[in-house]
Amino acid sequence: MGGLRVLVASHPQCANAFVLATKGKARSDRVKLLVGGKCWSCKMRRVWLLLLPVLFLGAFPSIFSKNVTSRPAAVNVGAVLAFDSTIGRVAKIAIEEAVKDVNSNSSILPGTKLVVTKQNTNCSGFFGMVEVLQFMKTDVVAILGPQSSVVAHIAGLVASELQVPLLSFAATDPTLSFLEFPYFVRTTQSDLNQMSAVAELVDYYNWKEVTAIYLDDDYGRNAVSALNDKLAERRCKISYKVGIPPGPAKRSDIMDILVKVALMESRVIVLHVTPESGFMVFSVARYLTMMGNGYVWIATDWLSSVLDSASPLSSETRESLQGVLVLRQHTADSDKKRAFASRWNRLTGGSPGLNSYGLYAYDSVWLVAHALEAFFQQGGVLSFSNDSRINSTGSGGLHLEELSIFNNGPLLLKNILQTSFVGLTGPFQFNSDRCLIHPAYDIINVVGTGSRRIGYWSNYSGLSTLPPEQLYERAPNRSSQQLYGVIWPGETLSKPRGWVFPNNGKQLRIGVPDRVSFRQFVSKVRGTDNMFKGFCIDVFVAAVNLLPYAVPYQFFPFGNGSANPSYTELVNLITTGFFDAAVGDIAIVTNRTTIVDFTQPYAASGLVVVAPFRKLNTGAWAFLRPFTPRMWIVTGVFFLVIGSVIWILEHRTNDEFRGPPRQQLMTILWFSFSTLFFAHRENTASTLGRIVLIIWLFVVLIINSSYTASLTSILTVQQLSSPIKGIDSLIKGDEPIGFQVGSFAEHYLTKELGISRSRLRPLGSPDAYAKALKDGPGKGGVAALVDELPYVELFLSSQCSFRIVGPEFTKSGWGFAFPRDSPLAVDLSTAILALSENGDLQRIHDKWLMQTSCSSDSAEIESDRLHLKSFWGLFLVCGIACFIALFIYFLQILHQLYHTAPAESAPDGSSSSRSKRVQRFLSLMDEKEDPSKRSKKRKVEGVPSENDRDSNPDRDNRRRQMGIQDEQQSSATIA
């Protein structure tokens, strides 16, 4: 029927008559009626009408196609707008101007006129859907719009079936995906990017929760869902959300909504609605004093569109917007954009003003023009056909059979997605997800009668005070987020806290451990159900009293009252929502910090080992106790080694290290041990010997000082001895170990230190501690106890038979537990620091935990003896020095050996030669170096010889005799 429709279209009267007469008739009857028409022009087409069915019915029994040339005189494009809306008024003018510019530009679509037909939806989703269907009957190649996200969902399905690209410059719903709607092309920014900007803004100001007010349709619901996802990526969340029904908003409904919002905890409100309902929200919020101090309002780009395009707002409306943060789609500043803005002002007189949606509408027209130009250059033909599936379904009176399929729609869609040009909004290009590249937003602060830009957001670099175009040239860097200062609601420059304690009558359910031991820390008041006392309770109450707001709360006991409860289970109940917080002596450990947030520690804690001890009296051999046996042995060996090395280095040059073997042995022993008291009388003449001696004397100084300090402590301080030296002793042994019931010590000993659970003994009270330690492993007790330091200190204040052995092997503290990202935990941490600074924390500690100490507090557990591991570095340095000195010395001997070898050769072969070389080597080591050589060398260097400096005749005679004896003994040894 499409072919017949084309033939009668040139004569409206006959066409109308034909349609009325042939309604419901068969194809043959339609042909007869048309041939029998009275119009002369129609009679002239009778032959064609008879021939066309013959030509086309055989090849296309159910589909008739209409083809035009590849370069038609005109190309039809549809536009679906709401003429009376803020976006529609601006977009209508922008599209008209873009069409004029395209048709006046000879470089694009030459010989073809771009015709854009606009239809008004009257801000109705139903009429928008109808207008889209009407366009599908008029053989348009593309549709600009729709403006509404709701209509875009329906129109996207129709466009996909009929292969007509749908270019929307205002539908921002992030769920409009090309996977579901392949012919939907978004020529503006998605709300997914806008909600990313909002989430990053919330995180920048360290807010954790927001309240979302949105339009309850696809546009609002899907955007808020995207916001929730983006906030979750930054450990933030929407604590409360409420939707406004589409359509005209009632003031009473808005009032009910905002009253509920005012009762919530969050004071950061994100408003994503239409302008009509949005301004009513701000008006009611001002009436409810919700535009004052403490509140934060973040409006999406619906408000910036009104501020940019609407006439000057009334003073009352302006007053209700003070301090609001607004997002606006960022468009790059350029000469082209400024020229168009100037032209816009001349055209409209500034009313309506140009907004970002108008710029995207203008660029959308140019996008279609560029894509059509590429389409025609590739040989594309504007060809339409009817779908036989629609005809077979029977559309009744809807005339759905008139909907046309754009046969070359896929080719045009491909060219649209591949088009790249620089428009009024900047570089206009799609990425692989069919989204515009470089999404960015301006962040605006409404102040006074205008607004000021405080920064930008882009998905490339986050928040910045520099335009995104400048940052694209640099490497991405989100570590330095920055915005200019904001004037918040209430005309304050101080950043709002972003939350208050909810004023909805709900009290915090705070879980408190019902302890049966160490009740000084926390305990339930006898005869009551919800009253507690103790050190931890007083700290919490004092911190809450320092908060600048009231916190209604109620304590609830946790535990059966007969044994200490599990603190891990108490913390887990916060994650399930059973408790809103937990107060008590709760240790801050790793596995708990992953599920809850803790306040600043108000008490230091950590695991220590407690063991019984015995007094250790000094005896006759107490002077040996500072060093371990291995330390004594290594020290003695090094004394002998150093003496031997010095003798080797000094033997050839120093007369004091020469003489008979017995005398030389005594010299070695005397010199070695006399260095302990720096009383050696032998001088060292060689450089190598002096270097070794200096290093050794430094080692001796350190060893001597350490020994003296340790021995002094042993003889003057009362010593306590225990077989347990610390946690290492417990790990290596197999004795039973005690721990407090409910403490995290059990988990730490088994999971972290790998101690078998069979060795652990749960103990529930200080009396049980004392009995188990006194009985020991032999009587069913324990060898040692592992517990947190505050409990141990309180226990030892009345038990003088036990002591802490070894160092504290974990470092932690006690804090109050709250749900993750709770702002109350942050404020209480600040209050706890204030308590610590003003001394109140110490006074509370002294009130509950100041106890009389044992008389033997001055006693100390036997300190570890000085081990070799504390001095091995010194010995290593000294050993290396000796090795290097000997190595250099033997190199000198070998050098002298090869330069003073005898001229005669051995007659009995090589073995005799080697034997003589060894004898010569030993002889060189033993013989005294010629003093004349050294004297000549010193004179050459300007240094007086040894003979010149020493003129004592007695010493000369003694050295001469010693030299004669040494030479005689050396000759005898060699013989």
Side-chain angles (χ1 to χ4, degrees):
M1 196 61 199
L4 300 179
R5 185 171 71 248
V6 173
L7 292 176
V8 301
S10 62
H11 203 293
Q13 290 83 359
C14 288
N16 293 334
F18 173 77
V19 172
L20 293 174
T22 60
K23 187 175 182 180
K25 295 184 179 296
R27 183 180 301 273
S28 60
D29 295 334
R30 296 184 186 184
V31 174
K32 291 178 182 178
L33 287 172
L34 186 57
V35 173
K38 296 181 180 180
C39 177
W40 173 256
S41 60
C42 290
K43 291 180 180 180
M44 296 297 296
R45 296 192 182 96
R46 290 176 183 175
V47 177
W48 291 106
L49 290 174
L50 293 173
L51 291 176
L52 283 175
V54 176
L55 294 174
F56 288 97
L57 283 174
F60 305 99
S62 60
I63 299 179
F64 288 84
S65 298
K66 306 170 290 182
N67 295 321
V68 296
T69 60
S70 60
R71 281 283 184 176
V75 179
N76 294 322
V77 175
V80 181
L81 308 171
F83 292 169
D84 295 332
S85 66
T86 301
I87 297 175
R89 281 192 295 268
V90 177
K92 180 176 179 293
I93 302 174
I95 290 174
E96 293 173 351
E97 295 303 308
V99 171
K100 292 178 183 179
D101 293 344
V102 170
N103 290 330
S104 63
N105 192 330
S106 59
S107 63
I108 189 167
L109 294 179
T112 300
K113 182 179 181 181
L114 183 66
V115 179
V116 177
T117 304
K118 298 177 288 295
Q119 295 292 343
N120 186 11
T121 65
N122 294 314
C123 298
S124 169
F126 174 75
F127 285 110
M129 178 187 65
V130 171
E131 295 300 339
V132 171
L133 292 176
Q134 289 294 335
F135 275 129
M136 296 302 181
K137 299 179 181 180
T138 60
D139 301 339
V140 295
V141 298
I143 295 178
L144 299 175
Q147 186 178 312
S148 168
S149 296
V150 177
V151 179
H153 280 272
I154 302 175
L157 293 174
V158 177
S160 299
E161 288 294 329
L162 302 180
Q163 300 181 170
V164 177
L166 200 66
L167 289 79
S168 179
F169 54 85
T172 57
D173 182 359
T175 62
L176 288 168
S177 168
F178 72 93
L179 298 176
E180 184 179 3
F181 309 104
Y183 279 81
F184 175 81
V185 180
R186 196 197 316 272
T187 58
T188 186
Q189 299 298 339
S190 168
D191 275 340
L192 184 64
N193 296 319
Q194 183 168 209
M195 295 309 160
S196 296
V198 173
E200 199 149 351
L201 195 62
V202 171
D203 185 55
Y204 173 78
Y205 288 111
N206 295 319
W207 299 317
K208 295 301 180 182
E209 297 182 0
V210 302
T211 297
I213 302 176
Y214 60 94
L215 192 65
D216 199 4
D217 62 2
D218 292 337
Y219 160 76
R221 285 191 300 268
N222 296 329
V224 170
S225 177
L227 174 61
N228 194 39
D229 294 339
K230 293 301 180 180
L231 287 172
E233 293 176 2
R234 294 163 176 81
R235 291 184 60 182
C236 305
K237 67 178 181 178
I238 297 177
S239 60
Y240 181 70
K241 60 182 179 180
V242 57
I244 298 177
K250 296 181 180 179
R251 188 175 181 87
S252 58
D253 295 338
I254 301 297
M255 183 79 71
D256 294 339
I257 291 174
L258 292 185
V259 168
K260 294 179 181 178
V261 170
L263 296 176
M264 296 297 110
E265 179 178 346
S266 175
R267 285 294 182 263
V268 181
I269 303 171
V270 178
L271 191 60
H272 186 64
V273 292
T274 59
E276 293 76 15
S277 56
F279 284 116
M280 185 171 291
V281 168
F282 282 124
S283 176
V284 176
R286 184 188 177 200
Y287 173 78
L288 296 175
T289 65
M290 295 176 65
M291 299 301 298
N293 289 336
Y295 281 91
V296 178
W297 287 85
I298 302 175
T300 53
D301 59 359
W302 67 266
L303 181 54
S304 61
S305 300
V306 177
L307 296 177
D308 291 339
S309 61
S311 301
L313 302 176
S314 64
S315 59
E316 183 179 355
T317 303
R318 276 285 180 185
E319 189 65 27
S320 64
L321 298 176
Q322 296 302 303
V324 176
L325 294 181
V326 188
L327 271 68
R328 177 174 61 197
Q329 296 187 50
H330 175 75
T331 55
D333 193 18
S334 63
D335 295 337
K336 182 185 296 186
K337 177 182 172 182
R338 285 190 292 269
F340 185 78
S342 177
R343 171 183 165 189
W344 182 278
N345 291 331
R346 292 193 303 269
L347 181 66
T348 64
S351 180
L354 180 62
N355 58 33
S356 59
Y357 286 103
L359 297 174
Y360 280 111
Y362 181 92
D363 284 350
S364 298
V365 175
W366 276 94
L367 174 63
V368 174
H370 284 292
L372 284 172
E373 177 64 24
F375 175 83
F376 291 135
Q377 290 179 359
Q378 295 171 8
V381 176
L382 301 183
S383 174
F384 298 85
S385 61
N386 295 109
D387 193 343
S388 60
R389 294 174 298 175
I390 298 178
N391 295 331
S392 63
T393 58
S395 59
L398 297 177
H399 304 289
L400 297 179
E401 69 277 0
E402 298 179 10
L403 300 178
S404 301
I405 297 177
F406 182 18
N407 295 328
N408 284 327
L411 179 59
L412 179 60
L413 176 64
K414 177 183 176 182
N415 284 286
I416 289 174
L417 297 176
Q418 293 179 351
T419 297
S420 176
F421 65 98
V422 178
L424 298 182
T425 58
F428 206 94
Q429 183 181 348
F430 296 98
N431 58 22
S432 58
D433 294 329
R434 296 190 181 182
C435 297
L436 292 178
I437 62 172
H438 301 324
Y441 285 84
D442 299 339
I443 302 175
I444 301 170
N445 184 206
V446 180
V447 181
T449 59
S451 60
R452 54 187 291 267
R453 183 167 50 205
I454 64 171
Y456 306 87
W457 174 90
S458 70
N459 69 335
Y460 182 78
S461 58
L463 300 174
S464 174
T465 55
L466 296 176
E469 294 77 30
Q470 298 183 18
L471 300 176
Y472 294 146
E473 302 172 357
R474 309 176 185 177
N477 181 16
R478 288 180 176 265
S479 60
S480 58
Q481 306 280 308
Q482 186 178 5
L483 292 174
Y484 291 120
V486 179
I487 299 179
W488 303 99
E491 299 182 356
T492 177
L493 296 176
S494 300
K495 185 201 76 173
R497 187 171 63 246
W499 73 281
V500 296
F501 205 82
N503 190 21
N504 55 9
K506 179 185 176 183
Q507 292 183 324
L508 283 180
R509 286 179 54 89
I510 299 180
V512 182
D514 188 5
R515 295 190 59 88
V516 297
S517 63
F518 298 108
R519 296 173 61 86
Q520 295 92 332
F521 295 105
V522 58
S523 63
K524 186 170 68 172
V525 177
R526 300 186 185 278
T528 65
D529 294 330
N530 302 100
M531 295 183 63
F532 290 82
K533 63 180 181 178
F535 167 70
C536 302
I537 301 299
D538 282 4
V539 172
F540 176 77
V541 172
V544 169
N545 291 336
L546 291 181
L547 298 179
Y549 49 86
V551 179
Y553 61 88
Q554 186 174 0
F555 292 136
F556 290 88
F558 175 73
N560 55 19
S562 59
N564 294 335
S566 171
Y567 283 59
T568 301
E569 294 180 5
L570 173 60
V571 171
N572 287 333
L573 288 178
I574 298 177
T575 63
T576 63
F578 185 80
F579 286 133
D580 298 316
V583 170
D585 45 342
I586 305 172
I588 304 174
V589 293
T590 304
N591 62 333
R592 297 174 184 172
T593 57
T594 58
I595 58 177
V596 297
D597 280 350
F598 283 93
T599 62
Q600 173 78 15
Y602 61 87
S605 179
L607 293 179
V608 294
V609 178
V610 179
F613 69 93
R614 63 182 178 84
K615 294 182 179 180
L616 189 65
N617 297 320
T618 59
W621 301 100
F623 68 92
L624 295 176
R625 283 170 52 192
F627 287 165
T628 61
R630 182 178 297 180
M631 180 66 182
W632 279 115
I633 293 173
V634 172
T635 303
V637 169
F638 257 83
F639 272 107
L640 297 177
V641 169
I642 293 299
S644 302
V645 171
I646 295 296
W647 178 83
I648 293 174
L649 298 176
E650 296 291 324
H651 180 67
R652 299 182 68 242
T653 60
N654 194 336
D655 293 337
E656 295 180 352
F657 288 87
R658 301 185 65 83
R662 181 177 179 181
Q663 181 180 349
Q664 294 183 47
L665 179 61
M666 294 302 298
T667 300
I668 292 175
L669 295 176
W670 167 253
F671 180 84
S672 300
F673 290 100
S674 63
T675 56
L676 177 62
F677 310 100
F678 304 98
H680 52 285
R681 64 183 183 182
E682 292 81 7
N683 294 321
T684 52
S686 67
T687 302
L688 294 176
R690 290 173 180 176
I691 293 175
V692 172
L693 182 61
I694 289 174
I695 296 175
W696 172 244
L697 291 179
F698 175 75
V699 175
V700 169
L701 175 65
I702 299 300
I703 295 176
N704 197 358
S705 301
S706 301
Y707 176 86
T708 303
S710 180
L711 183 61
T712 302
S713 175
I714 291 173
L715 298 177
T716 58
V717 179
Q718 184 180 10
Q719 300 294 306
L720 307 176
S721 176
S722 172
I724 305 299
K725 303 303 180 182
I727 189 62
D728 293 335
S729 301
L730 293 179
I731 295 175
K732 296 176 181 178
D734 57 358
E735 299 90 351
I737 304 171
F739 69 94
Q740 183 182 174
V741 176
S743 171
F744 78 97
E746 179 184 12
H747 177 271
Y748 185 86
L749 293 174
T750 56
K751 301 299 182 181
E752 302 296 333
L753 301 184
I755 297 176
S756 174
R757 193 178 296 273
S758 61
R759 294 178 56 194
L760 303 183
R761 303 289 186 271
L763 304 174
S765 66
D767 294 337
Y769 286 9
K771 184 178 184 305
L773 289 172
K774 288 179 180 178
D775 291 345
K779 298 181 179 180
V782 297
L785 169 72
V786 175
D787 203 356
E788 296 178 64
L789 183 60
Y791 303 122
V792 170
E793 290 177 342
L794 192 60
F795 169 69
L796 295 181
S797 64
S798 58
Q799 297 289 337
C800 301
S801 301
F802 316 104
R803 282 293 178 271
I804 297 175
V805 294
E808 184 178 359
F809 58 92
T810 66
K811 294 291 184 180
S812 62
W814 288 353
F816 306 130
F818 289 87
R820 294 296 298 270
D821 303 320
S822 172
L824 188 57
V826 178
D827 290 351
L828 275 178
S829 296
T830 304
I832 291 173
L833 289 176
L835 290 176
S836 177
E837 293 173 357
N838 61 25
D840 288 344
L841 189 61
Q842 184 61 41
R843 283 188 285 271
I844 296 173
H845 177 275
D846 296 343
K847 171 186 174 182
W848 289 98
L849 305 179
M850 183 62 70
Q851 303 288 337
T852 57
S853 59
C854 294
S855 58
S856 59
D857 276 348
S858 59
E860 295 182 359
I861 292 293
E862 178 189 10
S863 59
D864 291 336
R865 305 170 78 179
L866 297 177
H867 293 267
L868 178 62
K869 62 182 179 181
S870 302
F871 300 92
W872 73 269
L874 290 173
F875 287 125
L876 178 63
V877 172
C878 188
I880 292 174
C882 293
F883 175 79
I884 294 175
L886 290 176
F887 181 75
I888 296 175
Y889 174 78
F890 284 119
L891 286 180
Q892 294 175 348
I893 294 296
L894 292 174
H895 179 268
Q896 186 175 357
L897 174 66
Y898 283 98
H899 282 76
T900 60
E904 64 277 4
S905 59
D908 56 347
S910 60
S911 59
S912 176
S913 176
R914 280 196 297 270
S915 175
K916 288 190 175 183
R917 284 182 177 274
V918 171
Q919 293 178 2
R920 180 59 182 163
F921 176 78
L922 295 177
S923 175
L924 285 176
M925 289 186 59
D926 185 64
E927 72 180 10
K928 180 177 177 60
E929 184 177 355
D930 188 1
S932 62
K933 296 181 179 180
R934 286 182 293 149
S935 176
K936 291 180 180 179
K937 184 184 296 185
R938 290 176 180 271
K939 288 182 179 180
V940 170
E941 294 176 352
V943 180
S945 65
E946 194 174 295
N947 294 330
D948 294 338
R949 290 178 298 179
D950 191 357
S951 58
N952 190 334
D954 295 336
R955 177 173 293 183
D956 291 343
N957 295 330
R958 186 169 60 253
R959 289 180 176 177
R960 190 178 300 109
Q961 293 175 0
M962 291 175 61
I964 295 173
Q965 295 175 359
D966 188 17
E967 291 176 357
Q968 292 175 353
Q969 186 171 3
S970 299
S971 301
T973 302
I974 294 174

